[in-house]
Amino acid sequence: MKPNVVLYKTIPADQLARLQAAFNLTRFDSITDANRQEVIAALRHAQGLIGASHPIGNELLDAAPGLRAISTISVGYDQFSVPELTRRGITLMHTPGVLTETTADTIFTLILTSARRAVELAELVKRGEWRRSIGEEYYGTDVNGKTIGILGMGRIGYAVAKRAHLGFGMPVMYYNDKVNEQAESLLHARRATLDQVLAEADFVCVVLPLLPETEKLIGYAEISKMKPGAILINGSRGKIINEPELIRALQDGVIRGAGLDVFEQEPLPATSPLLALPNVVALPHIGSATHETRHAMVACAVDNLIAALAGDVTQNCVNPGALRNVAATGNEFKGM
């Protein structure tokens, strides 16, 4: 008998067909106030859940006593309480790896556009205000040869470092909880403290996961340790930076500027003071937003769910402890 699965996101037709072939599938384009009770009803008989872009809290989990696996179509999993899922014996799967390179491309786009004031000057041209050779008041800053400081040297951090060092001759320093031997041996990256990275880097790139210890890691005090000509880049999670304090630091001219793909509240409100600052490049969370990568993410998430509900959890599992909890209670997969 096929497991029952609830899908709460629109996905490509070929991947939808895979889910329909493997499971008894109940489909929702998203979870909203209007359909929440329908979702809850579907979850009562569900063994699997797949989707993205919506918090999955206790109300939904309580409605799904038979839930065994969740597959999120994302690398980040801050919309879940991992300890709670582990306690309940629910495996959480995610999609690392498939979005590494395109996210690194986005981060480097922020570096280049912020350094050369590309968005600001493109808007000047579109307004018809380019009437003479660009003068000093619109000069940017070089990227080539400048020092890049990377907060978080995982897969994406390494991919950014590789672009920086091999493509732009940038010395690399990084702040991470452990040594990245590949970055140090191949890219001559230097591990340093947070304060050292902030003080020495010309570009500080945040590529950390959102965890209790990283939330609001960067505030006014930390930004004040940066060089006056430095640029802060965030391509990970908005809540890692204290946004009101970043706004105040930019308004005070503490650093040159910021390039941001993520924000505390998304979509970013049109009233945000960030949008009034010419030295801010603000993108609508496009880190993985290419046709190729988004399709690969969905395919990976489908693979993950099929494997998890078959009891084969060998990769992409956020909480292996959930499997131990299932084994300890004797609550094994049934009817598959």
Side-chain angles (χ1 to χ4, degrees):
M1 186 172 71
K2 293 181 180 180
N4 298 314
V5 164
V6 174
L7 168 67
Y8 62 100
K9 186 176 178 63
T10 301
I11 63 173
D14 64 325
Q15 299 306 311
L16 177 62
R18 292 182 63 207
L19 287 177
Q20 290 171 325
F23 307 119
N24 294 318
L25 187 68
T26 304
R27 297 166 52 189
F28 301 94
D29 292 336
S30 62
I31 302 175
T32 66
D33 290 341
N35 71 6
R36 194 173 187 86
Q37 292 308 311
E38 292 179 67
V39 174
I40 287 173
L43 285 171
R44 291 194 183 107
H45 305 288
Q47 287 83 47
L49 180 64
I50 181 170
S53 306
H54 193 281
I56 304 298
N58 284 345
E59 180 191 15
L60 295 176
L61 296 177
D62 289 344
L67 192 63
R68 295 292 169 262
I70 299 175
S71 183
T72 180
I73 308 172
S74 63
V75 65
Y77 43 85
D78 47 284
Q79 293 184 331
F80 304 87
S81 170
V82 176
E84 180 62 20
L85 294 181
T86 301
R87 185 188 71 80
R88 293 173 183 252
I90 300 171
T91 301
L92 177 62
M93 312 295 288
H94 68 148
T95 62
V98 295
L99 49 65
T100 297
E101 297 300 334
T102 194
T103 302
D105 284 349
T106 301
I107 290 170
F108 225 87
T109 297
L110 287 169
I111 291 172
L112 291 170
T113 54
S114 299
R116 298 307 301 268
R117 301 170 65 175
V119 173
E120 179 188 358
L121 295 178
E123 290 301 318
L124 178 145
V125 175
K126 288 183 177 181
R127 293 193 303 267
E129 297 176 9
W130 181 30
R131 301 187 182 93
R132 59 184 178 84
S133 178
I134 289 298
E136 188 174 352
E137 71 272 23
Y138 290 121
Y139 286 172
T141 186
D142 284 333
V143 173
N144 190 71
K146 296 291 181 67
T147 297
I148 187 169
I150 300 175
L151 309 186
M153 188 58 82
R155 288 179 297 271
I156 296 172
Y158 179 78
V160 173
K162 184 173 64 174
R163 286 158 172 74
H165 185 69
L166 300 180
F168 289 81
M170 302 176 79
V172 176
M173 57 191 310
Y174 70 100
Y175 167 71
N176 203 49
D177 60 353
K178 58 185 178 181
V179 173
N180 187 311
E181 295 180 358
Q182 186 179 27
E184 296 196 0
S185 63
L186 299 181
L187 306 177
H188 309 292
R190 174 167 62 94
R191 187 172 176 231
T193 66
L194 176 60
D195 282 354
Q196 287 172 328
V197 173
L198 293 172
E200 297 179 35
D202 298 293
F203 297 88
V204 174
C205 297
V206 180
V207 200
L208 290 163
L210 179 60
L211 302 168
E213 57 268 32
T214 62
E215 186 168 353
K216 298 191 186 307
L217 178 69
I218 305 298
Y220 195 97
E222 289 72 29
I223 296 169
S224 296
K225 296 174 183 177
M226 294 171 62
K227 296 178 179 180
I231 293 174
L232 179 63
I233 305 292
N234 190 4
S236 54
R237 287 292 184 266
K239 291 182 179 180
I240 294 173
I241 295 177
N242 186 318
E243 200 165 285
E245 293 190 10
L246 169 63
I247 290 168
R248 183 159 62 91
L250 290 168
Q251 291 171 334
D252 291 349
V254 175
I255 56 175
R256 181 185 295 272
L260 309 170
D261 188 40
V262 291
F263 306 90
E264 284 191 6
Q265 179 183 342
E266 296 183 2
L268 183 67
T271 56
S272 171
L274 286 169
L275 300 179
L277 296 168
N279 57 342
V280 171
V281 175
L283 298 178
H285 203 151
I286 64 166
S288 63
T290 67
H291 291 291
E292 300 91 339
T293 297
R294 288 290 174 88
H295 189 277
M297 289 171 66
V298 175
C300 179
V302 172
D303 288 342
N304 288 342
L305 189 61
I306 291 172
L309 288 180
D312 177 19
V313 182
T314 55
Q315 61 182 0
N316 299 339
C317 181
V318 174
N319 59 338
L323 300 175
R324 293 191 290 272
N325 281 355
V326 169
T329 60
N331 193 10
E332 303 291 349
F333 294 110
K334 303 292 184 184
M336 301 174 198

